[in-house]
Amino acid sequence: MIEASGLAYRYEDGTTAVDGVDLTIEAGERVALLGPNGAGKSTLLLLLGGLLPPDDGSVRYFGTDQPGDAVRDRLGVLTQDPGEYLFNPTVREDIEYGPAQLGLSAAEADRRVAELAERFDLEHLLDRPPFRLSGGEQRRAAIASVLSVDPDVLLLDEPLSNVDGNNEAELLDLLDELSADGVTIVTSTPDTDLVAAVADRVVLLGRDGRVVATGSTREVLTDT
Ligand code: ADP
Ligand code: ADP
């Protein structure tokens, strides 16, 4: 589904964030990118999502080298910054934006908004401008926007940061349902306790942006 080889990324100030990462993600897998702050998880996720061009190496999607619109339409990437998803006058329009871009009917967009708003407790916030939301509410709205396009592959950068207990449970349930439906899910997290809930396989990154271990969640957690 996603095949990365020799991926490397350096920021302009010379910081090497990702260094020589080889990673294959199979259809339907649940993979966690685990590592301490600064390990390169966010950068790797942006590279895998096609949102940053690698300095070295390459990423192939669905067996093709062409990261065109057809590929982008199948990827849902949640970055750390909710502001990237919230740029319309209202939360409702933010969630509808993706379905509209895909050319779906207004009725289908409405159905998705209603379903996601219910799940993430956003119903009372739909007509509000997104900048008038709390941090956790913004995060939930951003997640709803990403899910509204029904992606085949989800790449989530620390999706539970800033999300409270109730909504955390909702998100974990939803990820389980999506996984059962065959959606491929890659989640980055610094939190070892979370890994077993979101992944069957773990890619452990060290501080230098390299993969230090990979294996089943059980193996990697036992060894660390
Ligand atoms: P993580 O998500 O695991 O916390 P990041 O991918 O955010 O790791 O960061 C990896 C490394 O790249 C860190 O050393 C971090 O300080 C550095 N880094 C991240 N963003 C930038 C940036 N915009 N400019 C320079 N260095 C950065
Ligand atoms: P159904 O036909 O039962 O609605 P779906 O394939 O639409 O099944 O969705 C299965 C589950 O995934 C639903 O419970 C829903 O919450 C969630 N889901 C995934 N993507 C979306 C989306 N874009 N809009 C609404 N729900 C979604």
Side-chain angles (χ1 to χ4, degrees):
M1 199 115 259
I2 299 184
E3 287 173 79
S5 71
L7 276 190
Y9 191 83
R10 281 171 297 279
Y11 285 100
E12 272 172 33
D13 66 358
T15 305
T16 296
V18 169
D19 195 7
V21 170
D22 298 313
L23 180 60
T24 299
I25 293 162
E26 307 288 353
E29 260 198 307
R30 299 189 311 152
V31 177
L33 305 179
L34 178 67
N37 287 323
K41 302 181 297 298
S42 294
T43 308
L44 179 55
L45 209 96
L46 293 173
L47 293 169
L48 294 176
L51 300 179
L52 265 187
D55 289 322
D56 273 308
S58 62
V59 188
R60 286 167 58 87
Y61 302 93
F62 317 116
T64 154
D65 282 326
Q66 307 289 329
D69 288 345
V71 165
R72 269 189 290 273
D73 285 350
R74 297 173 63 185
L75 297 178
V77 187
L78 179 75
T79 66
Q80 283 287 310
D81 176 13
E84 286 185 40
Y85 308 92
L86 309 174
F87 45 79
N88 286 288
T90 66
V91 171
R92 180 192 308 281
E93 287 160 283
D94 282 324
I95 304 175
E96 279 173 350
Y97 182 83
Q101 292 291 100
L102 291 179
L104 299 178
S105 70
E108 175 60 17
D110 283 348
R111 190 188 74 80
R112 293 184 179 195
V113 169
E115 191 170 346
L116 290 163
E118 204 220 319
R119 287 208 87 122
F120 291 115
D121 194 15
L122 293 166
E123 285 155 316
H124 59 300
L125 303 172
L126 284 175
D127 294 316
R128 224 188 260 186
F131 60 85
R132 297 246 168 94
L133 303 182
S134 74
E137 289 167 347
Q138 286 189 350
R139 191 115 189 114
R140 278 146 47 204
I143 292 170
S145 303
V146 172
L147 291 176
S148 68
V149 297
D150 222 346
D152 294 332
V153 180
L154 269 177
L155 299 161
L156 306 171
D157 195 0
E158 300 189 23
L160 294 177
S161 68
N162 224 348
V163 169
D164 64 28
N166 240 346
N167 285 297
E168 172 172 318
E170 280 296 332
L171 180 59
L172 291 176
D173 280 352
L174 181 53
L175 292 181
D176 280 346
E177 281 172 34
L178 294 172
S179 179
D181 278 351
V183 176
T184 307
I185 304 177
V186 180
T187 309
S188 85
T189 179
D191 182 357
T192 317
D193 293 337
L194 185 66
V195 165
V198 296
D200 307 308
R201 187 157 72 89
V202 174
V203 175
L204 181 65
L205 295 172
R207 283 197 188 278
D208 53 1
R210 291 175 163 275
V211 174
V212 294
T214 176
S216 74
T217 299
R218 205 137 74 95
E219 283 162 10
V220 174
L221 292 185
T222 312
D223 293 347
T224 44

